[in-house]
């Protein structure tokens, strides 16, 4: 089994690249989707409620975003709850998919979380900051949250040094597909 870790800057197009590499043939583990689902799980909700002294958990995501805007240290506390839960889900996914030729893991903080040892290949997705900010806001994001999350990530240059392949996503989807195909062909050639 080849485990491909996809990482990159915020709003660089990691999910799109994961889908393009997968081509509906290979399973994708998405850390972002796991986090999204955590907000529905009782264990996560109770930990967050206790950690941040919330009286209730209505509109939990927005409450947390508002806390992060006021104090960026909140993000670290939140990550201490989220990261172990995401890692656990990742290990379960790996176990279930161990007999599949290629598995894809889309993990924004793959390098920052020191997860590189789990993967056979690391693919970095990069894009210019102004393009990424525009994408983030178009998806309903907030500029202040973007800035806080952006600062949480390692510099692109560091991630590029650690990565086996780099795909830039500054142009059209057609261009991105072409770049992904080149990298995918290299991966399949060595599979």
């Amino acid at each position: 089994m080849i485990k491909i870790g996809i990482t990159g800057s915020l709003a660089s197009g990691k999910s799109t690249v994961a889908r393009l590499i997968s081509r509906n043939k290979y399973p994708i583990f998405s850390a972002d989707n796991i986090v999204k689902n955590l907000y529905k799980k009782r264990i996560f909700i109770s930990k967050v409620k206790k950690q941040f002294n919330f009286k209730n958990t209505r509109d939990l995501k927005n409450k947390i975003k508002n806390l992060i805007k006021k104090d960026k240290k909140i993000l670290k506390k939140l990550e201490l709850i989220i990261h172990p839960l995401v890692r656990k889900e990742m290990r379960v996914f790996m176990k279930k998919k161990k007999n599949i030729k290629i598995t894809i893991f889309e993990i924004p903080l793959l390098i920052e979380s020191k997860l590189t040892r789990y993967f056979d290949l690391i693919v970095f997705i990069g894009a210019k900051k102004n393009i990424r900010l525009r994408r983030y806001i178009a998806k309903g994001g907030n500029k202040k949250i973007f800035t806080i999350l952006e600062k949480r990530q390692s510099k692109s240059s560091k991630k590029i040094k650690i990565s086996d392949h780099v795909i830039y996503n500054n142009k059209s989807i057609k261009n991105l597909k072409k770049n992904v195909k080149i990298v995918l062909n290299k991966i399949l050639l060595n599979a």
Side-chain angles (χ1 to χ4, degrees):
M1 169 173 52
I2 297 174
K3 296 186 291 292
I4 302 170
I6 295 177
T7 193
S9 307
L10 185 61
S12 58
K14 295 176 295 293
S15 300
T16 304
V17 170
R19 284 192 303 274
L20 290 170
I21 290 175
S22 165
R23 301 175 304 173
N24 292 320
K25 281 168 81 173
Y26 309 117
I28 300 171
F29 173 88
S30 168
D32 285 347
N33 286 342
I34 298 298
V35 171
K36 220 176 275 179
N37 290 330
L38 284 178
Y39 281 87
K40 300 170 193 162
K41 294 194 176 189
R42 204 175 325 195
I43 187 167
F44 175 75
I45 293 167
S46 69
K47 284 182 177 191
V48 168
K49 187 176 178 184
K50 186 178 176 183
Q51 174 68 46
F52 301 114
N53 295 318
F54 290 143
K55 304 240 183 295
N56 64 59
T57 55
R58 270 192 316 264
D59 206 17
L60 187 60
K61 225 178 214 178
N62 279 329
K63 284 180 179 177
I64 291 170
K65 281 181 185 175
N66 288 332
L67 278 180
I68 291 169
K69 282 182 206 173
K70 291 177 193 166
D71 181 3
K72 57 186 171 217
K73 289 181 195 139
I74 296 295
L75 186 57
K76 282 237 191 261
K77 290 179 181 179
L78 182 63
E79 287 175 350
L80 289 173
I81 298 169
I82 289 175
H83 288 187
L85 296 170
V86 172
R87 276 196 183 101
K88 184 179 175 188
E89 293 287 335
M90 184 181 83
R91 285 191 296 274
V92 167
F93 179 88
M94 284 178 169
K95 215 177 239 184
K96 281 183 186 174
K97 309 294 182 187
K98 70 179 179 214
N99 296 323
I100 293 173
K101 183 179 176 181
I102 294 174
T103 49
I104 300 156
F105 298 79
E106 178 211 338
I107 305 175
L109 296 175
L110 187 149
I111 290 166
E112 294 83 350
S113 299
K114 296 175 178 42
L115 297 173
T116 55
R117 70 181 184 277
Y118 289 102
F119 306 101
D120 302 302
L121 293 169
I122 307 292
V123 179
F124 174 78
I125 314 306
K128 293 177 184 169
K129 188 175 179 178
N130 63 330
I131 293 171
R132 293 184 296 103
L133 176 59
R134 200 168 48 239
R135 288 176 187 155
Y136 188 79
I137 290 171
K139 285 187 174 181
N142 169 291
K143 188 176 180 177
K144 189 168 185 175
I145 294 288
F146 177 90
T147 304
I148 292 167
L149 295 175
E150 174 83 1
K151 285 180 181 166
R152 175 65 185 96
Q153 295 193 328
S154 298
K155 292 195 181 312
S156 294
S157 56
K158 179 186 177 187
K159 291 183 180 190
I160 288 168
K161 280 181 190 169
I162 294 169
S163 299
D164 298 288
H165 301 281
V166 177
I167 298 171
Y168 290 103
N169 184 17
N170 292 315
K171 297 180 181 171
S172 67
I173 188 75
K174 184 180 177 183
N175 184 266
L176 180 63
K177 285 178 180 178
K178 186 183 94 182
N179 292 337
V180 168
K181 190 175 182 181
I182 291 166
V183 169
L184 182 59
N185 287 338
K186 287 178 187 174
I187 292 169
L188 293 174
L189 195 65
N190 298 315

